[in-house]
């Protein structure tokens, strides 16, 4: 039976390589969003990335070939840094090694480190979109009822991002760095942007119809759901805007798991 459409819902950990962005000064993403267990300059803790994918399957012989569109949402938050006035502008606390693989914060001279953070929050948001070519080797499942379906996806990716605060959905840049100090900006630009790149997702799916073939036939006949699968896939995203312009590096290597329904 030829399956024309598929819908996926998947979840997985995510943490972008923003601190590897070409030309960036220091490790600001790690400094702001890292917790006490994050090494100085290390990647912040993983947060949940939720994604939905819709596929159109247009060819089926030894496997199924299709195109897909995927979209998702990621969010990470942390308390805002306080800015302290200095003779040359403003300064912030800096992350230092705590001697046990984590971090603590050191304030500028004469400042108590307990005041490094304010009661407000910085919130980094990301919406990744992908246009994919998909091949599923499901011939063994269709022909011999062997329920393991290997597959691979690959294509173009683009991620929108923006930074918000407790009181603003999209924040504006309020300080700019000059040397080791920060100077205030009266009307700074919006802290938002986007990065293009490539994405690859090899994975394995398990046809859940193997549990109860009769129930699968009923769902097919009554609801038009031909196959429901549980899957796990590797996610590699090379997100550097192909080296063009000053864009955040949103590259990542991780995994996700979820459910696939084919119609």
């Amino acid at each position: 039976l030829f399956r024309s459409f598929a819908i996926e819902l998947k979840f997985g950990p995510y943490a972008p390589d923003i601190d590897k962005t070409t030309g960036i000064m220091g490790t600001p993403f790690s400094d702001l969003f890292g917790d006490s267990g994050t090494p100085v300059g290390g990647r912040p803790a993983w947060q949940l990335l939720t994604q939905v994918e819709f596929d159109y399957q247009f060819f089926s012989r030894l496997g199924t070939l299709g195109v897909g569109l995927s979209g998702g949402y990621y969010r990470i938050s942390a308390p805002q840094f306080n800015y302290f006035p200095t003779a040359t502008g403003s300064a912030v606390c800096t992350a230092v090694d705590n001697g046990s693989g984590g971090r603590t914060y050191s304030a500028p001279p004469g400042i108590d480190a307990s005041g490094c953070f304010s009661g407000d929050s910085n919130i980094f948001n990301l919406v990744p979109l992908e246009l994919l070519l998909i091949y599923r080797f499901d011939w063994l499942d269709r022909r011999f009822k062997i329920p393991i379906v290997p597959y691979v996806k690959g294509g173009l990716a683009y991620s929108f991002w923006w930074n918000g605060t407790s009181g603003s959905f999209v924040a504006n840049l309020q300080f700019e760095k000059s040397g080791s100090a920060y100077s205030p900006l009266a009307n700074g630009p919006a802290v938002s942007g986007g990065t293009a790149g490539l994405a690859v997702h090899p994975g394995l799916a398990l046809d859940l119809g193997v549990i109860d073939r009769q129930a699968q036939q009923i769902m097919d006949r009554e609801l038009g759901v031909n196959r429901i699968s549980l899957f796990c896939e590797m996610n590699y995203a090379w997100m550097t805007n192909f080296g063009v312009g000053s864009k955040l590096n949103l590259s990542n290597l991780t995994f996700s798991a979820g459910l696939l329904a084919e119609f």
Side-chain angles (χ1 to χ4, degrees), residues 6-24:
I7 297 176
E8 289 184 2
L9 178 63
K10 56 186 175 181
F11 307 91
Y14 179 78
D17 280 334
I18 290 177
D19 288 335
K20 294 183 180 180
T21 301
T22 302
I24 205 167

Side-chain angles (χ1 to χ4, degrees), residues 214-226:
Q214 185 176 3
Q216 183 187 42
Q217 292 171 3
I218 293 173
M219 290 184 63
D220 189 357
R221 185 171 60 251
E222 301 294 334
L223 302 176
V225 180
N226 307 139

